[in-house]
Amino acid sequence: MFCVPSTEIGAIMNITKGGLVLFSANSNSSCMELSKRIAERLGVEMGKVQVYQEPNRETRVQIQESVRGKDVFIIQTVSKDVNTTIMELLIMVYACKTSCAKSIIGVVPYFPYSKQCKMRKRGSIVSKLLASMMCKAGLTHLITMDLHQKEIQGFFNIPVDNLRASPFLLQYIQEEIPDYRNAVIVAKSPASAKRAQSFAERLRLGIAVIHGEAQDAESDMVDGRHSPPTAKYVAAIHPSLEIPMLIPKEKPPITVVGDVGGRIAIIVDDMIDDVDSFLAAAETLKERGAYKIFVMATHGLLSSDAPRLIEESAIDEVVVTNTIPHEIQKLQCPKIKTVDISMILSEAIRRIHNGESMSYLFRNIGVDD
């Protein structure tokens, strides 16, 4: 696993005041690797807690040490069973609240349901619901990483620290990709252009944008205001009133804005879940002359047949962080590489517990990053 060294952070990592308790809310042992790395960096032992599923599939949490008057940090990484993961977190937060913890800080590197942060037709904004549930359960602070939309922070009425994984991914590019100076940063859709621009400006590289691919369901008819009025209200519209109709979208042929011929293409995004769009982008880049293709993302959900599809694709390497456990996917696809981000999470925990400023962790991060 690739790990970013830092003498400045490493030298101070073990300096924590008393009264800190670190719990892992996962009942799945494969999800506890990140928690163990964070505890090791902080120089503390994991708190004693039992999290398990009853025979009737109910989640039970039993805290086995006192948390009265202490700062409790609950680390929760998302497993394949997302809903169980959420219940584990909520029940543990509430258990700490009723046990008189001084503060309860959730460390949730990947915030689940973050894609459902906009209204679609007659659906709901589920990430807002989840934020309300976390606050109601007793969470007093949230540490997360690379939210799908930064506006999700506004769904909470508690402080939210949205950390960035880009420094780790940028360092991976500089140290692990030979001849990265001959690379171009690629946005697989116009929606990803700001992230690609951020990477390109920091690496002093060019940028390319793929336009014309199939429309993402996320951005198509999201606000639910495209429905016609029901029959009983039609007569109420004045006959002389003609509301102009919005011209329907028509996708142009796939085009690549920018030169990728004879260069390394590095596709950047915040998460990799369904890989179809990444595979289509890789094929397009190969046709335009890119001789090597990398995909960089913070969250590697890699759902369904993603490992097999990546292995059979034109993509040379997929680099993700360990915000989500994906050891099984790595066994299925050697192209998947991991960057360890436990260092920045450990430092965030240390600073919050000691009452220090968090600004150090957000150096050189702009509004669009």
Side-chain angles (χ1 to χ4, degrees), residues 61-320:
V61 173
Q62 292 183 343
I63 296 173
Q64 298 176 321
E65 63 179 86
S66 174
V67 297
R68 182 179 294 274
K70 295 182 180 180
D71 293 332
V72 178
F73 292 83
I74 301 174
I75 304 168
Q76 182 67 317
T77 50
V78 176
S79 66
K80 289 293 182 184
D81 190 349
V82 179
N83 295 329
T84 297
T85 298
I86 292 169
M87 286 306 300
E88 289 170 348
L89 175 63
L90 294 175
I91 293 172
M92 183 172 288
V93 168
Y94 189 65
C96 292
K97 178 183 177 180
T98 55
S99 298
C100 300
K102 177 184 174 185
S103 61
I104 306 166
I105 300 93
V107 183
V108 187
Y110 169 68
F111 187 73
Y113 285 96
S114 59
K115 283 186 175 181
Q116 298 189 47
C117 60
K118 297 179 182 179
M119 180 65 74
R120 295 191 188 92
K121 298 185 180 179
R122 295 174 183 84
S124 60
I125 305 175
V126 183
S127 55
K128 165 64 176 172
L129 171 65
L130 183 54
S132 300
M133 291 167 66
M134 288 181 175
C135 296
K136 188 68 176 178
L139 208 64
T140 60
H141 198 135
L142 178 69
I143 302 172
T144 187
M145 181 165 280
D146 281 334
L147 288 168
H148 188 55
Q149 298 288 342
K150 291 189 286 294
E151 292 77 10
I152 292 174
Q153 294 174 86
F155 295 162
F156 291 84
N157 55 17
I158 58 174
V160 177
D161 287 311
N162 181 28
L163 303 175
R164 307 296 197 277
S166 52
F168 297 84
L169 297 175
L170 288 167
Q171 188 162 359
Y172 184 95
I173 292 172
Q174 292 173 316
E175 296 182 357
E176 302 294 322
I177 299 181
D179 196 23
Y180 83 92
R181 288 292 180 189
N182 188 37
V184 59
I185 305 298
V186 179
K188 67 179 179 66
S189 68
S192 307
K194 282 188 177 180
R195 179 179 293 268
Q197 181 182 359
S198 174
F199 272 67
E201 290 176 352
R202 283 169 167 76
L203 293 168
R204 313 298 191 264
L205 299 176
I207 184 173
V209 180
I210 300 175
H211 178 55
E213 77 278 15
Q215 179 69 24
D216 217 11
E218 211 177 332
S219 57
D220 191 25
M221 298 191 300
V222 294
D223 63 0
R225 290 176 289 189
H226 60 281
S227 302
T230 54
K232 65 179 181 179
Y233 294 115
V234 171
I237 299 176
H238 195 278
S240 64
L241 182 63
E242 294 184 5
I243 301 174
M245 184 176 293
L246 189 65
I247 300 171
K249 294 179 181 179
E250 185 175 329
K251 284 293 167 183
I254 292 179
T255 56
V256 178
V257 181
D259 181 23
V260 297
R263 307 178 76 175
I264 300 171
I266 304 175
I267 305 171
V268 296
D269 212 336
D270 66 318
M271 69 174 72
I272 305 176
D273 187 2
D274 179 14
V275 298
D276 289 344
S277 59
F278 290 94
L279 303 184
E283 289 295 333
T284 301
L285 293 169
K286 276 289 184 183
E287 292 171 4
R288 300 301 194 280
Y291 72 89
K292 210 165 188 182
I293 298 171
F294 290 80
V295 175
M296 315 284 293
T298 302
H299 309 296
L301 280 74
L302 302 168
S303 303
S304 191
D305 290 334
R308 178 183 61 81
L309 294 172
I310 292 170
E311 185 65 24
E312 297 171 356
S313 72
I315 297 172
D316 293 281
E317 193 169 288
V318 172
V319 183
V320 292

Side-chain angles (χ1 to χ4, degrees), residues 13 34 38 42 75 107-109 143-145 163 168 322-323 341-350 361:
M13 190 58 70
L34 181 61
I38 292 172
L42 288 169
I75 304 168
V107 183
V108 187
I143 302 172
T144 187
M145 181 165 280
L163 303 175
F168 297 84
N322 56 343
T323 56
I341 45 79
S342 62
M343 180 179 294
I344 193 170
L345 294 174
S346 304
E347 180 63 5
I349 290 171
R350 191 194 68 80
L361 303 180

